[in-house]
């Protein structure tokens, strides 16, 4: 719905003996029309972004699945080759491995795409395109691809190997959302760092490497030594991943981690990210570049 308002103003003439009546008509959108328009714009740009990544749209969506499958296969055969135990809990080994890799790739890929959302700045020259819009497009696109990979791998695991476990579906979805929204918040902060500081890219690379070591995707939190759990316990992704496995596997209970910890960390970071995005949008300049 469009709201039309008309303002009437009388201004005196130069001689002061008569008045000139001026009217000004304003057309404003209601809140829900603005929201639906923004959602439609995000949808259109997300489809455009997904199709521009590869000449074939289907192959562009399947490439993340191939990355996860190759990573899982390499780690599984490496563990078998050295005689290790791929699944330290009573569950299917491949399911245990790809559950950890999926949460890790969902978080890291979202962080990287959001942090690099302003690298191609042609859209920012349009009036309706803002850093917030680009962040939404990159975050939704990456989340869509990784959720598609999750559904695809779980379906293949069930149809081909007859392996499927799900203990708590609501906590399962909550862990996926926390890994994604936390990555969006951290990605926006890194986006500002890479834009205004010459060493912002180093911070982004360091965060990815630290998460690779401390996310706990190779291990189970309840079976770790106490000192190792203390080293990794600061990372909210470690808690999210362990709770994700606790929600997925029937024979595992995530008793040494807490889902409230990533909530207490990620949502304040999300508020900070909103403030950072507002600053970037207000002070955006196409000619600005960080000092070398």
């Amino acid at each position: 719905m469009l709201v039309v308002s008309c303002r009437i103003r009388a201004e005196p003439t130069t001689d002061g003996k008569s008045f000139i009546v001026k009217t000004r008509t304003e057309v404003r959108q209601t809140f829900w029309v603005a929201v639906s328009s923004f959602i439609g714009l995000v949808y259109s740009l997300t489809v455009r972004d997904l199709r521009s990544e590869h000449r074939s749209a289907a192959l562009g969506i399947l490439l993340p699945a191939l990355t996860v499958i190759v990573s899982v296969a390499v780690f599984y055969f490496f563990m078998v080759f050295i005689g290790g135990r791929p699944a330290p809990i009573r569950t299917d080994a491949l399911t245990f491995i790809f559950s950890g890799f999926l949460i890790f790739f969902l978080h890291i890929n979202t962080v990287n795409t959001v942090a690099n959302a302003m690298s191609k700045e042609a859209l920012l020259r349009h009036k309706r395109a803002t850093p917030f819009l680009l962040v939404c497009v990159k975050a939704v696109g990456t989340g869509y691809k990784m959720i598609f990979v999750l559904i695809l791998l779980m379906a293949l695991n069930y149809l081909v190997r007859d392996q499927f476990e799900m203990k708590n579906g609501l906590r399962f979805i909550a862990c996926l959302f926390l890994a994604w929204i936390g990555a969006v918040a951290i990605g926006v902060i890194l986006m500002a760092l890479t834009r205004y500081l010459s060493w912002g890219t180093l911070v982004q690379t360091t965060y990815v490497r630290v998460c690779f070591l401390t996310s706990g995707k190779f291990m189970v939190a309840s079976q770790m030594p106490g000192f190792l759990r203390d080293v990794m316990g600061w990372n909210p992704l470690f808690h999210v991943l362990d709770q994700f496995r606790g929600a997925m596997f029937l024979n595992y209970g995530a008793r040494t981690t807490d889902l409230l910890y990533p909530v207490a960390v990620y949502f304040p970071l999300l508020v900070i990210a909103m403030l950072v995005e507002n600053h970037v949008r207000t002070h955006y300049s196409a000619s600005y570049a960080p000092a070398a």
Side-chain angles (χ1 to χ4, degrees):
M1 179 182 294
L2 299 178
V3 179
V4 181
S5 61
C6 182
R7 296 182 179 180
I8 302 176
R9 184 177 58 182
E11 294 183 355
T13 58
T14 55
D15 57 5
K17 297 180 179 180
S18 59
F19 293 90
I20 300 176
V21 178
K22 294 185 177 181
T23 61
R24 181 180 179 183
T25 303
E26 294 182 353
V27 180
R28 294 180 287 109
Q29 290 181 333
T30 61
F31 173 76
W32 294 111
V33 172
V35 169
S36 61
S37 177
F38 180 78
I39 292 175
L41 189 60
V42 170
Y43 172 78
S44 301
L45 290 178
T46 302
V47 173
R48 174 186 175 276
D49 185 66
L50 291 175
R51 290 182 175 178
S52 63
E53 290 181 358
H54 199 275
R55 182 173 299 179
S56 173
L59 187 59
I61 296 176
L62 290 175
L63 281 178
L66 183 62
T67 303
V68 176
I69 291 173
V70 171
S71 301
V72 170
V74 169
F75 180 72
Y76 178 77
F77 286 112
F78 177 74
M79 292 298 296
V80 172
F81 177 75
I82 66 175
R85 187 183 177 189
I89 58 179
R90 291 177 56 192
T91 185
D92 178 60
L94 284 177
T95 306
F96 170 81
I97 296 173
F98 84 68
S99 63
F101 273 95
L102 277 171
I103 289 290
F104 174 77
F105 278 117
L106 171 64
H107 185 82
I108 294 302
N109 288 352
T110 306
V111 167
N112 287 331
T113 54
V114 171
N116 299 325
M118 293 180 64
S119 59
K120 297 180 181 179
E121 299 173 347
L123 283 175
L124 290 174
R125 296 187 178 94
H126 297 275
K127 184 178 180 180
R128 297 185 66 184
T130 62
F132 179 74
L133 178 62
L134 295 184
V135 166
C136 291
V137 169
K138 294 296 183 180
V140 171
T142 306
Y144 169 77
K145 288 188 291 186
M146 296 311 300
I147 295 300
F148 175 80
V149 171
L150 172 65
I151 296 174
L152 177 64
L153 291 182
M154 292 184 69
L156 289 176
N157 201 31
Y158 176 72
L159 294 174
V160 177
R161 306 179 64 247
D162 196 22
Q163 297 287 339
F164 181 81
E165 291 186 56
M166 182 62 62
K167 184 169 64 176
N168 190 329
L170 184 60
R171 185 175 288 264
F172 180 88
I173 297 174
C175 292
L176 290 174
F177 176 76
L178 278 176
W180 178 76
I181 198 67
V184 173
I186 295 171
V188 171
I189 296 173
L190 291 175
M191 178 185 70
L193 290 178
T194 55
R195 178 153 186 86
Y196 293 108
L197 300 175
S198 59
W199 43 269
T201 306
L202 178 62
V203 177
Q204 178 182 346
T205 305
T206 303
Y207 177 78
V208 173
R209 298 294 184 267
V210 170
C211 278
F212 181 83
L213 298 174
T214 62
S215 61
K217 63 180 178 295
F218 301 116
M219 297 163 283
V220 177
S222 61
Q223 297 182 4
M224 287 182 182
F227 74 92
L228 188 59
R229 194 183 305 121
D230 294 336
V231 171
M232 297 185 177
W234 66 269
N235 190 351
L237 186 61
F238 174 76
H239 293 258
V240 172
L241 198 150
D242 189 62
Q243 291 292 323
F244 179 79
R245 284 172 173 160
M248 187 174 182
F249 299 133
L250 301 176
N251 298 314
Y252 179 65
R255 294 182 295 271
T256 58
T257 55
D258 192 354
L259 202 59
L260 292 178
Y261 175 71
V263 172
V265 173
Y266 284 149
F267 280 93
L269 286 178
L270 186 62
V271 175
I272 296 174
M274 291 179 181
L275 298 175
V276 167
E277 188 278 331
N278 180 69
H279 176 81
V280 173
R281 182 177 68 248
T282 305
H283 299 85
Y284 170 75
S285 174
S287 62
Y288 182 82

